[in-house]
Amino acid sequence: MSDDFRARARAWLAANAPRRAAGDDEAEAESRGQAAVIAEQKAFQAKLHAAGFAGITWPKEYGGQGLTSAEQIIWSQESAGYDLPTGVFFIGLSMPGNTLVELGTDAQKRRYLPKMLSGEEIWCQLFSEPGAGSDVASLQTTAVRDGDEWVLNGQKVWTSGAQYSDFGAILARTDPTKPKHNGISMFIVDMHAPGVTVRPLKVATGHSPFNEVFFDNVRLPAGALIGEENKGWDAAVVMLRHERIAIGTMGSSRTSPLAFSTLRDLAAGLGRTADQGVRRELAELYARSRAVQLFALLLREETQAGRLPGARGSVAKLAGSDLGRFAGNVAADVLGDQLAAFDTAELAAVSTAIVAAPGSAIAGGTSEIQRNIIGERVLGLAKDPGVDRATPFNQLRVGTQREQ
Amino acid sequence: MSDDFRARARAWLAANAPRRAAGDDEAEAESRGQAAVIAEQKAFQAKLHAAGFAGITWPKEYGGQGLTSAEQIIWSQESAGYDLPTGVFFIGLSMPGNTLVELGTDAQKRRYLPKMLSGEEIWCQLFSEPGAGSDVASLQTTAVRDGDEWVLNGQKVWTSGAQYSDFGAILARTDPTKPKHNGISMFIVDMHAPGVTVRPLKVATGHSPFNEVFFDNVRLPAGALIGEENKGWDAAVVMLRHERIAIGTMGSSRTSPLAFSTLRDLAAGLGRTADQGVRRELAELYARSRAVQLFALLLREETQAGRLPGARGSVAKLAGSDLGRFAGNVAADVLGDQLAAFDTAELAAVSTAIVAAPGSAIAGGTSEIQRNIIGERVLGLAKDPGVDRATPFNQLRVGTQREQ
Amino acid sequence: MTLILTDEEVALADSVRKFVADRSPLTSLRQIIASGEPFDAGVWKQMTAQLGLAGLTIPESYGGAGAGYSALSVALTELGAGLVASPLLGCLLAAEAVLRLGDDTAKQELLPKIAAGELIVTLAVASSAGGQVTASGAGDGTVLTGTVSPVLNGAEADVLLVPADGTDGKAIYLVQGGADGLARTRLTAVDHSRSLARITLAGTPARALAGDAAAALAAAADLANLALAAESAGAMKACLDMTSGYARIRVAFGQPIGAFQAVKHRLADMEKSFELGYAALRDAARAADEKPGDFPVAASVARVLLASAYAEAAVDTVQLHGGIGFTWEHDAHLYYKNGLSNKVLLGGPGEQLDRLADALGI
Amino acid sequence: MTLILTDEEVALADSVRKFVADRSPLTSLRQIIASGEPFDAGVWKQMTAQLGLAGLTIPESYGGAGAGYSALSVALTELGAGLVASPLLGCLLAAEAVLRLGDDTAKQELLPKIAAGELIVTLAVASSAGGQVTASGAGDGTVLTGTVSPVLNGAEADVLLVPADGTDGKAIYLVQGGADGLARTRLTAVDHSRSLARITLAGTPARALAGDAAAALAAAADLANLALAAESAGAMKACLDMTSGYARIRVAFGQPIGAFQAVKHRLADMEKSFELGYAALRDAARAADEKPGDFPVAASVARVLLASAYAEAAVDTVQLHGGIGFTWEHDAHLYYKNGLSNKVLLGGPGEQLDRLADALGI
């Protein structure tokens, strides 16, 4: 059965999927136009689904393949050498999708899951807020009951794909008199509903890979609640677990401009590799990069052997962010003043990657949060002395507000 | 007046005081014998006092010179080039001495200050405890009232000079039902009293520069209290302020085995300075060492201009500890495997200094505590979320005790 | 020689700080980015004509203020704090080279106009990876061929001073901005506040300046170290203030984030690095005026420490602000890019440490 | 090739760990310090005769177990965790050199006795600052002159293998411990668990071994990297466990100190560095057995990462224990000194990175 699946997967990929290459999704979208990229990805996802390789572990009645994690692992192994054009579905399938499989009602699953898998509908995830940051549970977006429905107001930020998404999974506060974790609910929101405004968010690199999303009296219908009312934090924990797994097993599809081989070639081209210090820095970059790859490999081997990585996934994320910062410093040292100004695409890519590097130590949980997770859940250290877990949310100071 | 004082000081120093040299107090005491060193220092302190250069700002009625901080600064400037053999008096004069001047009763000042100045009696300071560490106020030594007297029981640690001290200033808990800062008192304890046991404390280097001191039903007479009962923490704050000033203005009298010039010479001797990396590391060590010296100089200039350094003294302490760790790494890099084993005094000194370096990031307030002080008092950041400032001491967990 | 500022220096710092706040706040850097101009010409006019900043180290006999290097470093610290875009650094290095060369004609011709802000002059120097220039011919027939990149304000300069190797060794040559065979390509600079260009010379007419070129270039390199250290100190202090301020008001988990040691201790380390670097900067500035023999080492020390410390502080500024610090609208990235650029301009950390090691006789 | 341990490797780790706990806990290292002996001869006998640790990588035909490098690294990790003092590392390097040389007489003469723990053999190599040796004469008249320092167990070794430059280039020479003109001075070692000596040869009789000396020395250097990485990984894990354990039970300011981010985040970084280094160690161990062509780079990577990470972790272990961690009676300093020594033995970080850069073709 498994061998058969592997053979099928291998054959289909060879016939249908493009191989990995260097490059940058952002740049590709800018040069080809986003609409074209999305149309192509929708078509590919439909083909993937039709061939039986989408939703491998999801139930058949919701459009999945009804197979086991063994087939999922085989698929990951076989597809590792390809660059599947399914990026716009990544968030929806791995986060809201998996969460709906776990917590959704039968009606929700029948309505939404098949169209996710077939590429007809794209989803996003709406957790972060300007005032919440690392303290996700202090979110201020509200959903107020109005009969069977809810009325949604507030602002989300750092939303990837909001500009082309059809639906989103959103956290909103439904009871501000309860302590912060206990008054939150999760909903499905139609991103085309009246009152939803999506604005691109420009970041330090000058690109806009994220959005801000504003909700102004957006009505959520009766069936929009995911899980139970005021139990949204539990649903969020489920979704964040799926997020960690997704990010941990994602791998990178392109060669980074801050990779050892890229910087070595650039340094050699500038005649800088005769410098003993440059040689040592490049060697150290190789060692550190290699260790990050090897640790990810070790975690995958452990997972396949039945030992789940748990919070050690945070070690991988932290190590990746630290490596980005280190690589940026190496780039500055080995390229010297040639990095201060340039007119080649190679140096521009290095420069953009250095400017983007701090983003990875912030997005998806800051390095500070990762260190807390590692300290508490891997090493068993005591939690931070917290004073806000029992305080009613409406008596809590949040973000940069002087008073609530 | 000031010019006259400067001229007198300069002349006396030139005639009586030895010049600075390289070396190590510890080694000196070991080779010459401690008794000889103490006898010599007592004699020198007596001479210094007789000449009018001890207790410069202390009142005349208690043996001081009754002069101002202007003369004190002049003395510091003039004596900077000398290595005065008064080390055993340093702690007593700068900490318990200055605290008694500020908080002592008239009787205490008449009894103790003149003999401190004349070198007849040596003092130590007894704050640290095995269970207290950075959280000094959680100390467990107790002083229980018995009529007009108190009975002292407990253990102190990291006490410099306890083995040759005549008296000590000690903190003890006098009311365990109050929150930890509010039930402490400060006392004078006779180090020769029955029930006082001093034991040398051997540290990582193999030397014993500190002591443990045990108190077993030691009776403190009626006049032993410094300041008010249960206000010992206020007295401790006064003493710690004097400690910071003393350490900040102390300067080092010897050349460190981890100093730039020492390591450069050793590296050159081993033929290692042809290595570009070694050259860069030594240059960086020079830069960092120089900055630490310059910052101390800047603080002194500001002080002389009437701007007190306050908590920025903690920046100097932190910077010094960090430099020690950095210098240790440089030493390992520039000396390579020649540092792994040796039979020369130079390499032995480097090795001992590296092993000793972490001590400076712990003693006198850990680097973590210094960073808290800098964050809170220099940068105005919020205090750590503390939960123990209002809890009665006897309901508090302390040290490594599971339960109080 | 004292490290603390004199009353005159405090007054100068105050007036430059006020000028920056009034005439060149960070919003104006954003306007410069949007316009594509290298700097605000009106601001530059005021910086020179009104504040006399280009002439602080030029003797009064050549139209400058003769105020010295410590005053200059005080002004640059404030300009650095505000990320003020201007051709000042290029002009300072060019003026220093001309002063040290001692070529009377060049001094008369260039220094008064630099001081007055009437002429933008730059020194076309870069690291060894940035190309090289050779000279041939003689007298009026002297021409230069080669490339230098990146050159401060190379695209806008009215006059460029170009070090080149000729048959008689290295000399510094004067090239007019509009000379034949001179191609100037403005490059994409990491730092939005610097205008940098590649200059390519192909048989470009040039005039050799008299004097010791090596000594002049060494003096300019020392001054560059002092200037970049001063600008970095100011910018680093701005990062420290901005981030501490945010840590005092931003609340998470029921606490101002400055209560968390991950934030508090990072800021304490930033304060420490700033204080150490600033002390080294003051030492270098004083040495330049009072103990020139100590200046090369002192300037190297200040640059090495502050370039790294500022670059680290700027990353931490982004990090400790979290998501908002990574947005285009927040100022953190402006400092981050400036910090990166200041670290590598005219030679990165490794080259700076080599220079220091040489100066220390290691 | 998988990174995770096989069942056999887990069993080996368990048995070595149990052996260390029973026969060589840290209290026995303190006895060794007090006695002045280089190691506990009884423990060494059991390590070799009973556990066969000296023969793990020696083929069965020469009396070893032929178990391979991954098994060896697993055992060394446990020995490193316990700071077990023994002449194992010197013997391993000597055996590796002999195996690679392929001198049949030497193999027959030395390997079975090394495997059985009957002969202590060491390889007399050090960094270039550690001296050099030249060979002269020929055949039975071959003599060596020069110095090498520090040499692992140089004072106790029954036989020393000494690389020396002769008229035909570099070769490895066999010198008997009691040879004429051989002076062995045991040095003060930073690390209490290592015995290191300076050896001085003055016309000392020696026998040249046949084979490619450069290849043999390179192989020994790679094995040294693997071995020191493995020992460091074990010791670093011991530091991490000891310090996390303390942070869970030591209370200050009303909290277990692990609740403070200054402690928690330092330990999280230590965990991160350990995990990364350990993954690199596993890769190197597997490569040694299964992809020898990748071994030099992989072993360098593991050593470079773990040597630094462990040394840092050991300082942090002292620091996070506070005062108690700085006392002689606490074990932290034993790891601190071992970490320092592991970082520099047979070449410090710079030399290791140079070696890696060469291997990577930078």
Side-chain angles (χ1 to χ4, degrees):
Chain A
M1 166 70 204
S2 283
D3 286 349
D4 177 52
F5 181 85
R6 187 183 295 277
R8 268 206 303 130
R10 190 173 295 178
W12 189 87
L13 285 160
N16 294 281
R19 283 269 163 196
R20 276 178 198 288
D24 175 329
D25 292 328
E26 197 72 24
E28 190 187 338
E30 278 180 13
S31 68
R32 290 178 50 208
Q34 195 168 70
V37 170
I38 289 174
E40 184 206 48
Q41 296 202 2
K42 284 192 165 185
F44 188 88
Q45 178 71 25
K47 227 163 65 168
L48 189 72
H49 184 234
F53 299 112
I56 291 171
T57 62
W58 290 9
K60 284 192 173 177
E61 60 265 44
Y62 308 128
Q65 310 303 328
L67 299 173
T68 69
S69 58
E71 283 80 13
Q72 183 65 58
I73 289 171
I74 290 169
W75 175 256
S76 304
Q77 291 168 341
E78 292 300 323
S79 63
Y82 295 91
D83 186 17
L84 305 186
T86 54
V88 302
F89 298 98
F90 176 74
I91 288 173
L93 291 171
S94 49
M95 283 164 256
N98 275 317
T99 304
L100 277 181
V101 169
E102 203 163 322
L103 299 176
T105 62
D106 183 62
Q108 286 171 337
K109 290 193 261 200
R110 287 190 190 281
R111 163 63 189 87
Y112 297 113
L113 296 181
K115 292 195 173 179
M116 271 190 202
L117 291 176
S118 64
E120 286 167 81
E121 290 171 354
I122 303 176
W123 282 62
C124 61
Q125 181 221 41
L126 299 141
F127 280 16
S128 293
E129 295 189 8
S134 289
D135 184 10
V136 178
S138 71
L139 57 91
Q140 291 169 287
T141 293
T142 57
V144 177
R145 252 197 192 282
D146 184 20
D148 277 357
E149 304 190 342
W150 285 267
V151 180
L152 186 70
N153 278 286
Q155 182 192 347
K156 296 288 174 177
V157 73
W158 303 111
T159 316
S160 303
Q163 74 274 31
Y164 49 69
S165 283
D166 301 293
F167 294 95
I170 189 168
L171 289 178
R173 188 161 305 281
T174 39
D175 188 346
T177 68
K178 294 216 168 83
K180 65 181 182 182
H181 293 94
N182 306 343
I184 293 172
S185 303
M186 187 184 284
F187 298 95
I188 298 164
V189 60
D190 179 349
M191 296 295 286
H192 307 299
V196 178
T197 309
V198 175
R199 226 156 46 191
L201 179 61
K202 192 169 166 183
V203 301
T205 58
H207 297 298
S208 298
F210 304 101
N211 301 277
E212 297 180 288
V213 187
F214 298 85
F215 300 94
D216 182 16
N217 285 319
V218 176
R219 299 197 70 84
L220 302 171
L225 185 67
I226 301 177
E228 289 178 50
E229 191 171 350
N230 292 330
K231 293 281 170 69
W233 188 250
D234 297 346
V237 168
V238 169
M239 199 178 294
L240 292 171
R241 169 160 48 81
H242 285 296
E243 177 173 17
R244 261 200 302 276
I245 296 169
I247 291 177
T249 58
M250 186 167 61
S252 100
S253 59
R254 320 279 179 123
T255 302
S256 162
L258 296 179
F260 161 74
S261 56
T262 316
L263 293 179
R264 179 201 53 200
D265 292 349
L266 279 168
L270 291 169
R272 297 272 297 149
T273 42
D275 180 306
Q276 191 76 337
V278 166
R279 290 166 52 78
R280 287 181 185 168
E281 287 207 69
L282 286 170
E284 189 172 350
L285 176 60
Y286 174 84
R288 292 203 195 199
S289 315
R290 179 89 180 124
V292 169
Q293 293 161 0
L294 288 167
F295 178 58
L297 180 59
L298 185 67
L299 281 190
R300 283 201 294 279
E301 285 184 20
E302 289 184 8
T303 307
Q304 284 166 26
R307 301 199 297 274
L308 294 180
R312 281 162 75 226
S314 287
V315 174
K317 175 163 191 316
L318 176 64
S321 307
D322 285 358
L323 177 63
R325 185 165 177 167
F326 179 78
N329 281 335
V330 171
D333 288 353
V334 306
L335 302 177
D337 64 353
Q338 302 306 298
L339 186 64
F342 39 77
D343 57 0
T344 69
E346 289 78 11
L347 285 169
V350 172
S351 166
T352 299
I354 293 177
V355 174
S360 84
I362 295 172
T366 63
S367 290
E368 288 73 23
I369 291 292
Q370 304 309 325
R371 289 193 186 92
N372 261 22
I373 292 172
I374 296 165
E376 293 168 15
R377 299 197 217 159
V378 179
L379 302 177
L381 305 178
K383 281 193 176 292
D384 283 20
V387 299
D388 69 331
R389 298 186 69 91
T391 312
F393 182 75
N394 55 11
Q395 292 170 34
L396 209 58
R397 283 173 62 197
V398 171
T400 50
Q401 299 168 334
R402 287 287 177 184
E403 307 289 338
Q404 178 70 13
Chain B
M1 165 69 204
S2 282
D3 286 349
D4 178 50
F5 181 85
R6 188 183 295 278
R8 268 205 304 129
R10 191 173 294 178
W12 189 87
L13 284 161
N16 295 281
R19 284 268 164 197
R20 273 179 201 287
D24 175 330
D25 291 330
E26 196 75 25
E28 190 187 337
E30 278 179 15
S31 68
R32 291 179 50 209
Q34 196 169 68
V37 170
I38 289 174
E40 184 206 47
Q41 297 203 1
K42 284 191 166 184
F44 188 88
Q45 178 70 23
K47 229 163 64 169
L48 189 73
H49 184 233
F53 299 113
I56 291 172
T57 61
W58 290 9
K60 285 193 173 178
E61 61 264 46
Y62 308 127
Q65 310 303 328
L67 299 172
T68 69
S69 59
E71 283 80 12
Q72 183 65 58
I73 288 171
I74 290 168
W75 175 256
S76 304
Q77 292 167 341
E78 293 299 326
S79 62
Y82 295 91
D83 185 19
L84 305 187
T86 55
V88 302
F89 299 97
F90 176 75
I91 288 172
L93 290 170
S94 48
M95 285 165 253
N98 275 316
T99 304
L100 278 181
V101 168
E102 204 164 318
L103 299 177
T105 62
D106 183 60
Q108 286 171 337
K109 291 193 261 199
R110 286 189 191 281
R111 162 65 187 84
Y112 297 112
L113 297 181
K115 292 196 175 180
M116 270 189 203
L117 291 175
S118 63
E120 286 165 82
E121 289 171 353
I122 303 177
W123 281 61
C124 61
Q125 181 220 40
L126 299 140
F127 281 16
S128 295
E129 295 189 8
S134 289
D135 183 10
V136 179
S138 71
L139 57 92
Q140 293 170 283
T141 293
T142 58
V144 176
R145 250 197 194 281
D146 182 24
D148 278 356
E149 305 190 343
W150 284 267
V151 180
L152 185 70
N153 278 287
Q155 181 191 349
K156 297 287 175 178
V157 74
W158 303 112
T159 315
S160 303
Q163 74 275 32
Y164 49 69
S165 284
D166 301 295
F167 294 95
I170 189 168
L171 289 178
R173 188 159 306 278
T174 38
D175 188 347
T177 68
K178 294 216 169 82
K180 64 181 181 182
H181 294 93
N182 305 344
I184 294 171
S185 303
M186 187 184 285
F187 298 94
I188 298 164
V189 59
D190 178 347
M191 296 295 285
H192 307 299
V196 178
T197 309
V198 175
R199 228 159 38 194
L201 179 61
K202 191 169 167 184
V203 300
T205 57
H207 297 298
S208 298
F210 304 101
N211 302 278
E212 298 180 286
V213 186
F214 298 84
F215 299 94
D216 180 18
N217 286 318
V218 176
R219 298 199 70 85
L220 302 170
L225 185 68
I226 301 178
E228 290 178 49
E229 190 172 352
N230 291 330
K231 292 281 171 66
W233 188 251
D234 297 345
V237 167
V238 169
M239 199 178 293
L240 291 171
R241 167 159 50 80
H242 287 295
E243 177 173 16
R244 263 201 299 278
I245 296 169
I247 290 177
T249 57
M250 185 167 60
S252 100
S253 58
R254 318 280 179 120
T255 302
S256 161
L258 297 180
F260 161 75
S261 55
T262 315
L263 293 180
R264 180 201 52 200
D265 292 349
L266 279 169
L270 292 169
R272 298 271 298 150
T273 43
D275 180 306
Q276 191 76 338
V278 166
R279 289 166 52 78
R280 288 181 185 168
E281 288 206 71
L282 286 170
E284 188 172 351
L285 176 61
Y286 174 84
R288 294 204 194 197
S289 315
R290 178 89 179 122
V292 169
Q293 294 161 359
L294 287 166
F295 177 60
L297 181 58
L298 185 68
L299 281 190
R300 283 201 293 279
E301 286 184 18
E302 289 184 9
T303 306
Q304 283 166 28
R307 302 197 297 275
L308 294 181
R312 281 163 75 228
S314 288
V315 174
K317 176 163 191 317
L318 176 62
S321 306
D322 285 358
L323 177 63
R325 184 164 177 167
F326 178 78
N329 281 334
V330 171
D333 288 353
V334 306
L335 302 177
D337 64 354
Q338 301 307 298
L339 187 63
F342 38 78
D343 57 359
T344 69
E346 290 78 11
L347 286 169
V350 171
S351 165
T352 300
I354 294 177
V355 174
S360 85
I362 295 171
T366 64
S367 290
E368 288 73 23
I369 291 292
Q370 304 309 325
R371 290 193 185 92
N372 260 22
I373 292 171
I374 295 165
E376 293 168 15
R377 300 196 216 159
V378 178
L379 303 176
L381 305 178
K383 280 192 177 291
D384 283 18
V387 298
D388 70 330
R389 298 185 71 89
T391 312
F393 181 75
N394 55 12
Q395 292 169 34
L396 209 58
R397 282 173 62 198
V398 171
T400 49
Q401 299 169 331
R402 288 285 174 184
E403 308 290 335
Q404 178 71 12
Chain C
M1 180 165 128
T2 59
L3 299 178
I4 53 176
L5 298 185
T6 63
D7 292 345
E8 293 73 28
E9 287 166 341
V10 171
L12 175 62
D14 288 345
S15 76
V16 177
R17 190 179 313 123
K18 188 170 178 320
F19 171 79
V20 172
D22 291 349
R23 291 288 292 123
S24 186
L26 286 172
T27 46
S28 78
L29 177 56
R30 291 177 182 273
Q31 283 161 14
I32 288 169
I33 298 171
S35 73
E37 293 295 318
F39 54 87
D40 180 326
V43 168
W44 174 238
K45 196 171 164 59
Q46 280 181 291
M47 283 170 67
T48 48
Q50 185 179 315
L51 294 174
L53 298 182
L56 279 178
T57 52
I58 294 176
E60 293 178 47
S61 50
Y62 294 103
Y69 295 93
S70 183
L72 175 65
S73 80
V74 165
L76 288 171
T77 301
E78 297 303 329
L79 297 172
L83 300 179
V84 176
S86 88
L88 181 58
L89 181 56
C91 286
L92 290 172
L93 302 186
E96 184 72 14
V98 169
L99 274 167
R100 293 297 171 112
L101 280 173
D103 177 312
D104 276 334
T105 315
K107 281 157 78 174
Q108 300 284 359
E109 177 184 345
L110 300 176
L111 296 180
K113 289 186 176 167
I114 291 175
E118 292 164 11
L119 204 64
I120 296 176
V121 187
T122 194
L123 184 65
V125 285
S127 74
S128 59
Q132 54 187 15
V133 181
T134 54
S136 56
D140 287 352
T142 304
V143 293
L144 301 184
T145 299
T147 295
V148 194
S149 176
V151 174
L152 285 160
N153 299 98
E156 304 87 49
D158 302 303
V159 171
L160 298 98
L161 303 183
V162 184
D165 294 311
T167 43
D168 300 337
K170 190 173 282 280
I172 296 177
Y173 296 80
L174 188 153
V175 174
Q176 295 295 335
D180 288 344
L182 171 64
R184 321 199 283 176
T185 312
R186 196 164 164 217
L187 302 171
T188 303
V190 164
D191 177 0
H192 300 291
S193 76
R194 301 256 185 231
S195 176
L196 296 162
R198 174 185 303 115
I199 65 163
T200 307
L201 306 112
T204 306
R207 186 179 102 219
L209 303 185
D212 182 343
L217 290 171
D222 292 336
L223 180 60
N225 277 345
L226 178 69
L228 287 166
E231 289 189 2
S232 297
M236 184 179 180
K237 186 68 165 67
C239 286
L240 180 57
D241 290 346
M242 174 164 63
T243 311
S244 308
Y246 187 68
R248 287 192 292 265
I249 63 160
R250 169 83 180 186
V251 172
F253 304 102
Q255 309 281 337
I257 60 170
F260 295 102
Q261 291 180 337
V263 175
K264 183 181 291 178
H265 289 195
R266 196 98 64 104
L267 281 166
D269 282 333
M270 203 190 287
E271 160 72 12
K272 180 200 70 177
S273 304
F274 170 73
E275 294 273 20
L276 295 176
Y278 180 79
L281 169 64
R282 292 303 311 143
D283 179 58
R286 286 281 181 253
D289 287 329
E290 300 175 25
K291 279 193 176 180
D294 292 349
F295 182 51
V297 164
S300 246
V301 166
R303 166 85 190 274
V304 159
L305 293 174
L306 280 162
S308 300
Y310 170 34
E312 289 297 304
V315 189
D316 284 339
T317 295
V318 175
Q319 181 69 24
L320 295 178
H321 279 81
I324 187 80
F326 192 58
T327 61
W328 180 265
E329 69 172 325
H330 196 277
D331 293 331
H333 74 94
L334 302 175
Y335 286 98
Y336 179 35
K337 294 165 180 173
N338 175 247
L340 177 58
S341 179
N342 279 9
K343 187 160 108 170
V344 300
L345 263 184
L346 301 160
E351 289 152 279
Q352 295 301 326
L353 286 172
D354 289 346
R355 220 174 110 76
L356 178 56
D358 288 343
L360 289 168
I362 294 170
Chain D
M1 183 165 125
T2 59
L3 299 178
I4 53 175
L5 299 186
T6 62
D7 292 345
E8 293 72 27
E9 287 166 342
V10 170
L12 174 63
D14 288 344
S15 74
V16 178
R17 190 180 314 121
K18 187 167 178 320
F19 172 79
V20 172
D22 291 348
R23 291 289 291 124
S24 187
L26 287 171
T27 44
S28 78
L29 178 56
R30 290 178 183 272
Q31 282 161 12
I32 288 168
I33 298 171
S35 73
E37 294 295 317
F39 55 87
D40 180 324
V43 168
W44 174 237
K45 194 171 168 56
Q46 280 181 290
M47 283 171 67
T48 48
Q50 185 179 315
L51 294 174
L53 297 181
L56 279 178
T57 53
I58 293 176
E60 293 179 46
S61 50
Y62 294 103
Y69 296 93
S70 181
L72 175 65
S73 81
V74 165
L76 288 170
T77 301
E78 298 303 327
L79 297 173
L83 300 179
V84 176
S86 89
L88 180 58
L89 180 56
C91 286
L92 290 172
L93 302 186
E96 184 73 14
V98 169
L99 273 168
R100 293 298 171 112
L101 279 173
D103 177 311
D104 275 333
T105 315
K107 281 158 77 174
Q108 301 283 1
E109 176 183 348
L110 299 176
L111 296 180
K113 289 185 177 169
I114 290 176
E118 292 164 10
L119 202 66
I120 296 176
V121 187
T122 195
L123 184 65
V125 286
S127 73
S128 60
Q132 55 186 13
V133 180
T134 53
S136 57
D140 286 351
T142 305
V143 294
L144 302 183
T145 300
T147 295
V148 193
S149 175
V151 174
L152 285 160
N153 298 99
E156 303 88 50
D158 302 303
V159 171
L160 299 96
L161 302 183
V162 184
D165 295 310
T167 43
D168 301 335
K170 191 174 280 282
I172 295 178
Y173 295 80
L174 189 151
V175 174
Q176 296 295 335
D180 288 343
L182 171 65
R184 322 199 280 178
T185 313
R186 197 164 162 215
L187 303 171
T188 303
V190 164
D191 177 0
H192 300 292
S193 75
R194 301 253 186 233
S195 175
L196 296 161
R198 175 186 302 114
I199 65 163
T200 307
L201 306 113
T204 304
R207 186 178 102 217
L209 302 185
D212 182 342
L217 290 171
D222 293 335
L223 180 61
N225 278 344
L226 178 70
L228 287 166
E231 289 189 1
S232 297
M236 184 178 181
K237 185 68 164 64
C239 286
L240 180 57
D241 290 345
M242 174 164 63
T243 312
S244 307
Y246 188 67
R248 288 192 292 265
I249 62 158
R250 170 81 179 185
V251 172
F253 304 103
Q255 310 281 338
I257 60 171
F260 295 103
Q261 292 181 337
V263 175
K264 183 182 291 178
H265 289 196
R266 196 98 63 101
L267 281 167
D269 282 333
M270 203 190 288
E271 160 72 13
K272 180 200 70 178
S273 305
F274 170 73
E275 292 273 21
L276 295 176
Y278 180 78
L281 168 64
R282 293 302 312 143
D283 180 58
R286 286 280 181 254
D289 286 329
E290 301 175 24
K291 279 192 173 181
D294 291 349
F295 181 50
V297 165
S300 246
V301 166
R303 165 85 191 273
V304 159
L305 293 174
L306 280 163
S308 302
Y310 170 34
E312 289 299 303
V315 190
D316 284 339
T317 295
V318 174
Q319 181 69 24
L320 295 178
H321 278 81
I324 187 81
F326 191 58
T327 59
W328 179 266
E329 68 172 327
H330 196 277
D331 293 330
H333 73 94
L334 301 175
Y335 287 97
Y336 179 35
K337 294 165 180 175
N338 175 246
L340 176 59
S341 180
N342 279 8
K343 188 161 107 170
V344 300
L345 262 185
L346 301 160
E351 289 153 278
Q352 295 302 325
L353 287 171
D354 290 346
R355 219 173 112 76
L356 178 55
D358 289 343
L360 290 168
I362 297 170

